[in-house]
Structure formats: C-alpha cells, structure tokens
Amino acid sequence: MKLAWQVRRLARRFGKARAFCVVLLFTLAALRIADIPALEELRLRSFDTYQMIEPRRKTAKPVTIVDIDEKSIRKYGQFPWPRTLLADVVSKLGQMGAIVIAFDVVFPEPDRLNPDLLVNSLAGLDDETRTRLIALPSNDQVFANAIRQSRVVLGESGLPYVVRELDRTLPVTGLATIGSEPQPFMLNFPGLLRNIETIEKAAAGRGIFSIRNERDGIVRRVPMLIRTQGIVMPSLSFEMLRVASGTDTILVKSDRAGIKSIGIRGLEIPTDRNGQLWVHFARHDPSTYVSAADILDATAPPQAIAQKLVLIGTSAVGLLDVKTTPLDASMPGVEIHAQVLESALTKAVLSQPNYAIGAELLTAATLGIVVIWLAPILGPITLVIMGSIFAALLIGTSWYFFAAQRLLIDFTYPLLSTTLIYLALIFSNFIREQVQRRRIRSAFSQYLSPALVAQLAQSPDKLRLGGEEREMTIMFSDVRGFTTISESYKHDPHGLTTLMNRFLTPLTNAIIDRRGTIDKYMGDAIMAFWNAPLDDAEHQINACHAALDMLEKVDALNKQREDEAAHGGHAYIPLNVGIGLNTGICVVGNMGSDLRFDYSVLGDSVNLASRLEGQSKEYGFPIIVGSKTALAARDKFAILELDFIMVKGKAEPEVVYALAGREDTARTERFRQLQNLTKEMLTCYRNRDWDGALLAIARGRKSDVSHQLETLYGLYDKRIRTCRDNPPPANWNGAFAVLTK
C-alpha cells in the first residue's frame, strides 16, 4: 500500500503533460529511425542551404568537358553523329594528352551509317560499288579501334526494367570488401542498357552515368556503386578514377549500418550508407567546357586537355540532359560527373557518417528530457531564452561540422523534436488554463456580466478593486411615461415583468451586437458603454448604430403589442424611449467593496450622458448626443445641432445634437434643407437677431411637413420671444442653463 501511494504521488508530481511528452519523444525517435519523407526533406533542405551559403571553391581544374553543344551540332550535323566522327574526337583527345576519356552517352545500337547497313538503304547501286562498300570496316569498328588506342570509359544507363540478358563474357570491375556485405545497401536498377559488344570490349572501363534524383527532383547524391541484373557496376566518374589509377579492384568498406566508403589505390571516398557520394557542388563553371567542334577543328587550347580527365557529353538544348542541383536549376548532367571528380581529386567531398543518426537521436533525447524537466518549472521568458541558446548551439555545431570538417550532421530533427515537445507542454498548459477559466465562468456567471466574466477568465489577476482611464462612449436610455404604463399593470405585476423582459431583451441585444457592454439595468432604464473591457476604435460609431437599432426594435415591439391589443380587446399604450450618448474620458473598472463589486464606469462624461437622456423629451428627438460623439459620427449619420446648454453640476457649456438617422437620411435633400434652416435659426438666436431667428423658424415649419422639428421650433419660439422681451445680459454667450436633470 505504501509503495502504491508513493507511485501515485510521484505520478502526480510528474504530471500527465510530462508523461505525454515522454511518449512523444519516443514516437519522434521512431519516426527519425524510419526516416519518413517529411523529415528527410527538411534535412536535405538544410544541407542545400549550407551549400548555397558556402559552395565548393575550386582549387584545381582536373576535369574538362568536351561539349557537344549547339555550335558543334550546327557545324557537324544533328546528334547522334557517325561513329567515325566520334572516333576522330577520341583520337584527337588522346593525341592532346587526355589521361582518361569518358562518354556520358550510351551506344546500344549499331551505327545506322555502317556501310553494310547503308548499302541496303541506297537504291540503284551497281554490284561492284555494293561489294566495295560492304568490304569497308564498320563505323563501330573504327570507333572501337580509336577507343582501344586510348583509355576510354564507356557510359551505361540503369533502367527500371530489363532490356536484355547481360552478356556475361564482357569484363566486370573487381570488387573487394572489408566488413559486412555491402550489396544489400546499394541502390538497385532492375535493368542495364549497355553498349554494343564491339565497342564495349574495346573500352578500358565501363560505368553507369544514371543519377537518381531525390523526391523533390534535386540532385544531391550520386551513387558510386550500383546493383543491376546480378552484378555490381561502378559509376562513370568513379570508373574514370579507377582506370586513371591503373587499379583493377574497387575496395568497399561497410558495417551493419551500411556502406562507409569506397576506394582505389591512393584514394578513399566516404559515402552514405547506400554507397552514394554527397556532392559538394561548386557553381556552374563555363571555363570547364570545350566545344567538340574546337577539338575536331584542332583549335582547342592544348592545356585544356593535356593531363586532364575528359568527359564527353552534351549541353545542346534538344538533348534534354539537364539536372537541378542545390545551386543551379539547369546544370548539364555531364557537369555533375565533373563535379564528382573534382570533389574527389581535391579531397573536398561531403559525407554523412553512419554514426550521424545516433548523434542526432542522442542530442534530441537529451534536449527533450531537459525541456520536459525544466519547462513546467521555469518562466516562459527564461525558457524562450534557453531554447534560443539551444537552437543556436545546434545550428552552430552543424554548421561547424559542414564548414570545417565537411560532415553533414542534421540539426533539424533535434530542433524539431525539442520544439514539438515544448509546444506540447505549452498546449497542455493552455488546456489547464482553459479548465480554470471555465471554473471561473461557472462560479461568477450568475453574478457578473458575460463580458466581465470573459475578461476575468482571461486575466484572473483582474479580480480585484481598481480602474483605468479610457475614452469611452456612454449610453443612458429610459422609457418615457413609464409610470402611466406601470399603473395599467397594477393588478397584473407578472404582466409588467413580462413586458419589461420583452422590452429589455431586444434593446440589450442591440447594444451587445454593436460591441457595447451593459453596465446595469435600473428598472426600465439601461446604462451601457463602449470601448471597455474590449478595445473598440469606433466606439462612437458603434454606439450611434446601437441607439438607432434600439429605436427600430422598439418600433417593432410596439407594432406587435398594438396587434395583440387589437386582437385582445385591451388598451394599448406605446413604449417610447429617450437615449443620451456622450463621449469622454472616464474611469472604468471594478467598483465596490472587497466583499461585493461591479464592473462599472465613473466620470463627468457619464453624468453628462445621463443629463442628455433626460433632455430628449424637451427637444422632441429620442436620441441626444454630446459634441465629441457628434464630431466622430457626423460623416456617417444625420446629425442636427440642437442647443448650447449649461447642465446642472457642470462648469462648461456643451453643444448638443440630435441623432436623426443614418447616412441615407443625411444625404436627403429634405434633411439638408432642415439642417440649414436650423443652423440659420441658431446663428440668429446667438447673435440676438430675434426677428431673423423667428423668420427661420417660420420657414422651417413650412419645410417640416412631418412636423419632426415642431417641438424644437416651439421651444425656441418661446425662448426667443422671452429674450426679445427681456434681453439677456451683455456677456451672454448663447448658452441655455438646464436646471433639471
């Protein structure tokens, strides 16, 4: 029992998140051992980046490419050329001192221009001419004789299918091994396309020039040894090295993890486990190329061929021998073999040792365990700094091995593994915090507003007294004549409650839909505000939209109630609301005591919004807004200036406005005319031009066919006549003192 209790205690301390990350660590290790395509692609891309940053620098040029280029084809005709012409190329290269000559071309069929074949395609030949032509040596024999006079390596091609059975009498390069059997690790081509027997037997060596691209089509590795149809063939480039060294046998070193290296006398080349050489590419070098036409014309510089390994290939556009490398999108295939030779002879080859995967797994496991151990303990900033240091060390170490040792050590897997474990821990913390937030919502949703509950769930530290200053838009709304309405329900209190719910619900939705926050309900009144607790850059606009939405919803509710009253045979009393909006600096936050508090707003701007709501009935407009609100909303709403008032308790006067509609209303000619007449009336009034003000009112009444401004005109008519009979003092600024709230 005691042991079980201790185990449970340790399990609780270790935590589910850490246990999950341990499982994740082992899963990622298994994926790396399997070397899934996504991980391999990431690794290869990082090695490409290294080569782009630091390509191989050429310290010597031991290789020349004799290029069957556009110039050569224009001069000597389309390719393939007659093999007598190729024999001339080989002979001239031998005379110029080429060490080894190799063809990045295969000759699987007899020359179509052989005399014995040509004679059958020529009509009208006499017997003597026919006999003389047949007696001539074949082009293939001429080519074979030239090959026999030089050290020539013929190219062969690996195929995905078997073309014909191999001639086992043809020479095969010898193979010696040290360690485990290497054949199971070599790349395999099911078929082999060889040269015709006449040419094949004359050559000093034979090598496969086929290159297997990576999944993304980029050439990064070239196989040095290949299995095909039961034999092992060297690559074209490595066979050139073997022939140049005069060695009969290739030495292969391997272990249980795969092939380690291949070598000949005086040269050992490290490979990957499949016997492929990682090519350390240099940038495309045009000076490596000599046109085949220049060789045939004897115009090529002798130093370009003497004591060089010579590759014969093609870069002509129509022959489609183009490859993509980490440095070039269109490198001729023959140049890749040249780059292999240059890398090998200058000892600038890259290698990915067989122990690399073990080092990567060990590094990933070590860093993963450190993160699993420290992540729940350390703060996020410390952990990010530590992670950045780890990442820099991984990348720096990998780069050091590449730049200084030419070793390819992958940093992407350890970095990815550690990052995924870190993200898993962060996600588990997120889930745990979400659970805590749900608990907070459950505990307080019955007492606080939804917006405040959400804010407290996001930041539990805000569950304390205090506030902050913000510019906000405040709304007060109230029902006009609510006393009369409530008296009609004195024998039906439940009916009054139902009515208030029907009334407050759509108004509340109108506010919330426009990003407002309900502060409180005060009987039939609503107090709301914008730009808290969430930021709202257009709080004035949203508040105006909400006020107009509220009027529309009240109209819809009144229509329903009127229909219900008509069908029910009872009295109908419409609901009318007054709304005040004002924008200004307020203090918003948790107000109250340590035992009970509410998220609310305080400030002079709040008081003014309340006063404006109270004045809506005086001016005959249901929505009255302060000057800051009107200034922000004037381009998107129908705003009408009403008065310059001094409200009770406020030292400075305030220009107040009516919100008469949205932008479509503001654009109507009728509203613009009434707006201009109202401005004219106010200007005359404030300049003591009483007769002019009364005249403007008269013209306004004629234009106001809907009598929307009648209350406003009646208020100013009475006020102007009073001022005319009892002129205001000399220092009067046009402000009107409002004595009521």
Side-chain angles (χ1 to χ4, degrees), residues 129-207:
T129 303
R130 182 182 297 274
T131 302
R132 292 177 61 185
L133 284 174
I134 292 174
L136 292 174
S138 71
N139 291 359
D140 293 323
Q141 190 60 55
V142 173
F143 188 32
N145 292 338
I147 288 173
R148 196 173 285 109
Q149 298 301 316
S150 302
R151 292 195 290 184
V152 175
V153 175
L154 292 176
E156 298 180 351
S157 177
L159 296 174
Y161 48 85
V162 176
V163 176
R164 62 174 69 94
E165 290 300 320
L166 294 182
D167 183 354
R168 302 293 174 178
T169 65
L170 294 177
V172 176
T173 303
L175 190 70
T177 61
I178 297 177
S180 303
E181 186 67 26
Q183 279 87 344
F185 299 100
M186 296 178 186
L187 297 184
N188 179 60
F189 282 99
L192 180 64
L193 185 63
R194 308 195 80 166
N195 301 279
I196 61 173
E197 182 180 351
T198 302
I199 301 173
E200 191 90 26
K201 287 184 175 180
R206 288 143 293 277

Side-chain angles (χ1 to χ4, degrees), residues 274-289:
N274 301 120
Q276 298 182 102
L277 171 71
W278 286 92
V279 186
H280 192 180
F281 285 98
R283 298 199 180 278
H284 172 65
D285 184 6
S287 68
T288 306
Y289 290 76

Side-chain angles (χ1 to χ4, degrees), residues 694-708:
L694 291 173
L695 185 60
I697 290 174
R699 292 203 307 274
R701 280 175 166 156
K702 289 181 180 179
S703 300
D704 184 21
V705 294
S706 63
H707 305 292
Q708 185 180 7

Side-chain angles (χ1 to χ4, degrees), residues 82-96:
R83 287 177 192 160
T84 52
L85 189 60
L86 292 174
D88 289 345
V89 173
V90 171
S91 298
K92 289 180 182 295
L93 290 173
Q95 293 167 9
M96 295 176 73

Side-chain angles (χ1 to χ4, degrees), residues 527-596:
M527 176 182 173
F529 51 78
W530 278 259
N531 201 31
L534 304 177
D535 293 336
D536 183 0
E538 295 190 330
H539 53 93
Q540 305 97 329
I541 305 300
N542 287 328
C544 290
H545 275 302
L548 292 170
D549 290 346
M550 291 166 70
L551 294 185
E552 292 170 359
K553 290 181 180 295
V554 169
D555 289 342
L557 178 60
N558 281 334
K559 183 65 171 64
Q560 293 176 8
R561 293 179 58 247
E562 185 176 9
D563 292 342
E564 292 168 2
H567 286 89
H570 54 265
Y572 161 67
I573 303 177
L575 294 170
N576 296 302
V577 296
I579 299 173
L581 292 175
N582 187 48
T583 300
I585 300 299
C586 307
V587 176
V588 62
N590 295 316
M591 312 295 179
S593 68
D594 292 337
L595 297 177
R596 182 178 178 83

Side-chain angles (χ1 to χ4, degrees), residues 350 369 412 465 584 634 698:
L350 299 174
I369 291 170
T412 59
L465 295 178
R634 62 184 177 182

Side-chain angles (χ1 to χ4, degrees), residues 102-108 153-159 189 192-195 206-212 222-223 226 233-237 311-312 321 323 333-334 336-337:
F103 280 90
D104 186 28
V105 182
V106 66
F107 306 101
V153 175
L154 292 176
E156 298 180 351
S157 177
L159 296 174
F189 282 99
L192 180 64
L193 185 63
R194 308 195 80 166
N195 301 279
R206 288 143 293 277
I208 292 182
F209 54 70
S210 299
I211 298 172
R212 181 171 291 179
V222 174
I226 297 168
M233 292 287 296
S235 68
L236 180 67
S237 52
L311 281 158
I312 301 175
D321 186 24
K323 305 292 183 182
V334 65
I336 292 178
H337 300 296

Side-chain angles (χ1 to χ4, degrees), residues 641 643-644 678-694 716 719-720 723-724 727-735:
E641 184 178 348
D643 207 347
F644 187 44
T678 303
K679 287 181 180 178
E680 181 183 347
M681 176 196 72
L682 291 173
T683 301
C684 293
Y685 168 71
R686 291 166 186 167
N687 289 326
R688 303 172 186 254
D689 181 4
W690 315 121
D691 293 336
L694 291 173
Y716 271 96
R719 190 186 297 178
I720 291 168
C723 290
R724 187 170 56 181
N731 61 351
W732 180 67
N733 60 3

